[in-house]
Amino acid sequence: MAATRAWTTIDFEKDGKQSDYMRVPFSSDKSAYGWIPVPMICIRNGDGPTALLTAGNHGDEYEGQIALLELARTINTEEIRGRIIILPALNYPAVVSGRRVSPLDEGNLNRLFPGDADGGPTAMIAHYVETELFPLSDIVIDLHSGGKSLDHYPVALARPGLNPETTAKIRTLLEAFGAPYSVVTTGEGGGAGSTLYAAAEQHGIPALTTELGSGGTLSARGLSIAANGVRRVLRAYGIAPSVVTEDSAKTKFMRSLSRSGSVYAPRGGLFEPWVECGANVVKGQEAGLLHSFEDPLAQPLKLVFEVDGVVICRRFPTLTERGDCLYSLMVEVS
Ligand code: ZN
């Protein structure tokens, strides 16, 4: 791959707590030779494993952003054995505008991996993570939430792994993080191979992602899962062996049903959901109504679940267009 055009003043091999930016060149009307300041903190204390911790990959998902800001501020170099690299606002232009995607190029960072050294700013961020940060990393955690368009049950998610060895390592990482549910994704829904955690999987690095909250606001429960989960991982891997954190209940392993378990809007309208996230549903159960505003006297369309499962997310806004995902399901695995 081509060399990155982004740079930083951080020396990743130096001990101590350093704060600078991934400096992403961006030439605009306002700033011909300027760069986008993507915040980056490196905390290193001698040899040991490296954890790469990211949030704000989507700008309107907040639990991870706050958990990582808090971690970067409060954890001391002396507590570390090895290295933590923290990017709490990874798609910085999206974060500062409160949007899922970047206002500069409409780039959805979690659909642009492995990125492009000479692409738009969002593809350049992906490429920097891919070529500069992954080679330094032993584990990767990318914290997401439902954002403005989804109500999401708090879960950790991971890819199945490329071989039995990485599958076992990913399972160890999920158990250490300790979310209530750990969901193995099939790759047919969401971002498939173009996400940060799928890109990490391609490098053989154990990686997990999360969905922790809803509707572009902050969930106290989601924030607690993020903050404690990251600390549990740092403790379990010996990177912060004595860090204080809450113990979790044993995580329950699930499998996402993606397309086969999703209810999509067959047409536009106003969505009236009848089922909450986390609920058990069965095949044929009524999921809600879709009201037509174009044909006011028509009966609303009744939506049903096609398979049994647990509701992992539902659409948050009421206004709905054909093709919107209204519900997604997960099922327990042994
Ligand atoms: Zn996200």
Side-chain angles (χ1 to χ4, degrees):
M1 282 184 106
T4 183
R5 291 168 50 216
W7 83 101
T8 180
T9 66
I10 290 173
D11 178 352
F12 293 107
E13 301 308 321
K14 197 171 121 185
D15 282 349
K17 190 186 280 196
Q18 303 171 75
S19 177
D20 187 59
Y21 308 96
M22 176 203 302
R23 302 174 178 216
V24 183
F26 184 61
S27 185
S28 69
D29 288 345
K30 286 193 290 186
S31 186
Y33 296 161
W35 41 266
I36 300 163
V38 178
M40 182 157 65
I41 298 101
C42 178
I43 312 169
R44 183 180 186 276
N45 188 21
D47 293 333
T50 295
L52 175 63
L53 309 174
T54 57
N57 178 333
H58 290 135
D60 63 345
E61 303 173 4
Y62 295 106
E63 288 77 6
Q65 295 184 38
I66 291 179
L68 292 191
L69 285 169
E70 196 262 337
L71 180 75
R73 224 174 38 241
T74 58
I75 200 154
N76 296 314
T77 306
E78 298 70 46
E79 293 177 79
I80 305 293
R81 303 286 176 272
R83 185 168 49 187
I84 310 176
I85 301 170
I86 303 173
L87 294 101
L90 187 58
N91 197 353
Y92 178 75
V95 168
V96 292
S97 57
R99 293 184 55 194
R100 179 174 179 80
V101 304
S102 173
L104 302 180
D105 58 2
E106 295 299 312
N108 183 342
L109 178 55
N110 221 29
R111 301 293 182 274
L112 281 172
F113 278 81
D116 182 350
D118 299 307
T122 314
M124 288 172 72
I125 293 171
H127 181 268
Y128 185 89
V129 173
E130 175 84 21
T131 60
E132 299 292 318
L133 300 181
F134 281 165
L136 301 176
S137 303
D138 297 294
I139 49 170
V140 171
I141 299 179
D142 183 35
L143 298 165
H144 287 251
S145 297
K148 284 179 187 156
S149 80
L150 288 176
D151 180 5
H152 221 293
Y153 201 71
V155 296
L157 305 102
R159 303 271 293 186
L162 299 178
N163 51 53
E165 192 194 342
T166 52
T167 300
K169 285 182 179 172
I170 290 167
R171 194 179 169 93
T172 301
L173 180 62
L174 288 166
E175 282 170 344
F177 188 84
Y181 288 113
S182 293
V183 185
V184 176
T185 58
T186 57
E188 68 174 15
S194 56
T195 59
L196 190 155
Y197 76 117
E201 181 194 37
Q202 293 302 310
H203 287 255
I205 308 168
L208 68 78
T209 186
T210 61
E211 300 290 357
L212 296 170
S214 307
T217 186
L218 190 79
S219 148
R221 184 177 177 218
L223 177 58
S224 167
I225 292 169
N228 286 295
V230 166
R231 280 175 168 78
R232 279 191 291 268
V233 167
L234 295 176
R235 193 175 60 185
Y237 284 78
I239 302 172
S242 53
V243 74
V244 177
T245 176
E246 287 173 21
D247 288 323
S248 73
K250 208 163 179 248
T251 190
K252 198 180 269 189
F253 278 89
M254 310 292 285
R255 182 168 56 84
S256 77
L257 292 177
S258 303
R259 282 181 209 162
S260 62
S262 292
V263 177
Y264 296 102
R267 57 167 169 75
L270 301 174
F271 172 44
E272 180 186 335
W274 286 358
V275 179
E276 297 290 328
C277 284
N280 283 287
V281 299
V282 294
K283 183 180 176 183
Q285 182 177 334
E286 290 165 347
L289 298 174
L290 203 52
H291 299 269
S292 168
F293 38 65
E294 285 157 348
D295 194 358
L297 296 184
Q299 285 297 320
L301 188 66
K302 200 169 273 182
L303 303 157
V304 296
F305 292 102
E306 305 274 347
V307 294
D308 300 354
V310 179
V311 176
I312 183 170
C313 65
R314 75 168 173 84
R315 180 173 172 76
F316 194 73
T318 304
L319 185 61
T320 295
E321 290 178 20
R322 174 179 290 142
D324 284 334
C325 179
L326 304 178
Y327 289 101
S328 249
L329 301 182
M330 55 182 174
V331 289
E332 202 166 336
V333 290
S334 52

